[in-house]
Amino acid sequence: VGSEMCIRDSTRTPPQQPDNICSIFKEKNSWYKAAIRTEKRWKLPPYVLMSFVFQESSYNAKAKPERDKLLGFIPWFRPSSAVGYSQALTKTWEDYKDETGNARASRKNFNDSADFIGWYASKGYYQGFDRLDARSLYLAYHEGYGGFKKKTYRKKPWLIKVADRVQSRSTKYQQQYWGCAKELKKKILSFFDNIFTIETNYFTVGGFKKKISYFLQIVPEFALPVLPAGRSDYIRYNGY
């Protein structure tokens, strides 16, 4: 139990080098897998996703808005219900769970938060938003698509500056990501090639079917999107 707690806590602590997306993904492999799943499902690039998460929570799973001060010094209510990596509001989070069927999603879980950001961003694609336009997507993320259309952000100079910072970070992350994307992907594919080679050589047909089925039940979330080329027959074989 102690080791499981350590693993769980390590995935929720902020990365050691938050200004470098390659370092982040190498340190937190599960975050990389979550980012790839988000890109596959919602078409949101990892560097745009991570620029959002940094701005919203600085990669802090327990992040919440600071409390207002009554009389200037007494801690009072928080200005919103935002929580977690994505700082999603309770109502919007409930909409996400209802629409995607992810009923057990948690705002303190990076995988769920990444999927939420991708889900919300994807709604803008049909309205003419470019998936690389982190600035506009962030303004809509903050103001809502209705608010963006009404240009409510124009009355908030501070928000425009924040959106500019998000775009700047996304561009920096993009340049970094181009330099390590192949290496990150290669490590994942190499891992699965080794797994499947061992299983294939060791088990008979009947035993192989049972063992692989068990393995995929343990790690289906990260197995499916990064399965090596030519392995899709194993997924169909086991009903995924």
Side-chain angles (χ1 to χ4, degrees), residues 146-155:
F148 182 88
K149 189 174 182 180
K150 296 177 181 177
K151 296 180 171 48
T152 56
Y153 57 85
R154 288 185 173 179
K155 297 180 180 180

Side-chain angles (χ1 to χ4, degrees), residues 153-167:
Y153 57 85
R154 288 185 173 179
K155 297 180 180 180
K156 303 175 181 179
W158 62 269
L159 177 58
I160 294 177
K161 291 181 180 179
V162 171
D164 287 339
R165 290 202 296 269
V166 171
Q167 181 62 65

